[in-house]
Amino acid sequence: MLRSIATSSTRRRFASSAEKVWQVYLSGEIHSDWREVIAKGVESKQLPVICVSPNVSHEDSDDCGAIILGMEEKRTNWDKIGAGMNNIRTKNLIEESDIVVVRFGEKYRQWNAAFDAGYAAALGKSIITLHPPSISHMLKEVNANASVVCEDTEQVVDTLAYVIRGELPTPRDGDEFIPIADRLGAGNPNP
């Protein structure tokens, strides 16, 4: 692959072939706008990405079975019917996706997100996890199956830009960034 010479902003771009459209499944917590932030970042970088997700309306996700099939007397049946309907969407979208981004927040336990990550891993999907560093330890097994672990949505968008087009942003460390070839020194056999 050819690499262009780094510009003064240290932005690099790799030559790419015809662009495919990537499907990215956005799994996880539903109480913040992280999905919209990623979608806007993908759009601003003009990446060939379609973002898909589970139903993010908590009420609709809980009540879909009862609304469509009628009320059940026992809550366990109500939950099972709704979960089954939601599972149809989730399984199909994960199976069709190229990349699965799984967001874990600090406030709520996202059992469904952990299940989605496990299902994606079993299918051999590329996984990006997104969560604050404070919960890394409890997600160590999930992170071990992820190709990339991000702390914020900007890192997710930058990862997608690199994976899809070979585009690198300005280093997060700014002037403190030292390229690996410089760190290893002159004459290193594996620069």
Side-chain angles (χ1 to χ4, degrees), residues 19-126:
E19 288 189 313
K20 77 175 236 163
V21 176
W22 296 67
Q23 182 163 303
V24 177
Y25 185 81
L26 303 175
S27 170
E29 69 93 2
I30 61 171
H31 303 285
S32 68
D33 67 347
W34 70 274
R35 286 179 179 85
E36 290 79 16
V37 173
I38 288 175
K40 286 178 185 172
V42 162
E43 184 179 352
S44 74
K45 289 185 181 284
Q46 299 180 334
L47 297 175
V49 168
I50 296 171
C51 293
V52 295
S53 70
N55 182 342
V56 296
S57 166
H58 197 171
E59 295 80 12
D60 291 353
S61 176
D62 283 349
D63 293 337
C64 63
I67 289 170
I68 295 168
L69 300 176
M71 298 282 288
E72 292 282 328
E73 286 191 33
K74 296 181 182 176
R75 175 65 194 214
T76 55
N77 291 339
W78 191 311
D79 284 344
K80 183 174 178 359
I81 293 168
M85 288 186 175
N86 292 318
N87 191 39
I88 293 170
R89 176 186 180 95
T90 299
K91 282 176 63 175
N92 281 283
L93 290 176
I94 290 175
E95 289 169 6
E96 295 169 359
S97 292
D98 299 294
I99 299 170
V100 176
V101 177
V102 187
R103 162 81 173 138
F104 294 93
E106 289 181 287
K107 188 173 180 182
Y108 300 97
R109 294 197 171 106
Q110 291 89 38
W111 308 118
N112 60 327
F115 186 84
D116 289 353
Y119 186 61
L123 293 172
K125 298 294 179 179
S126 297

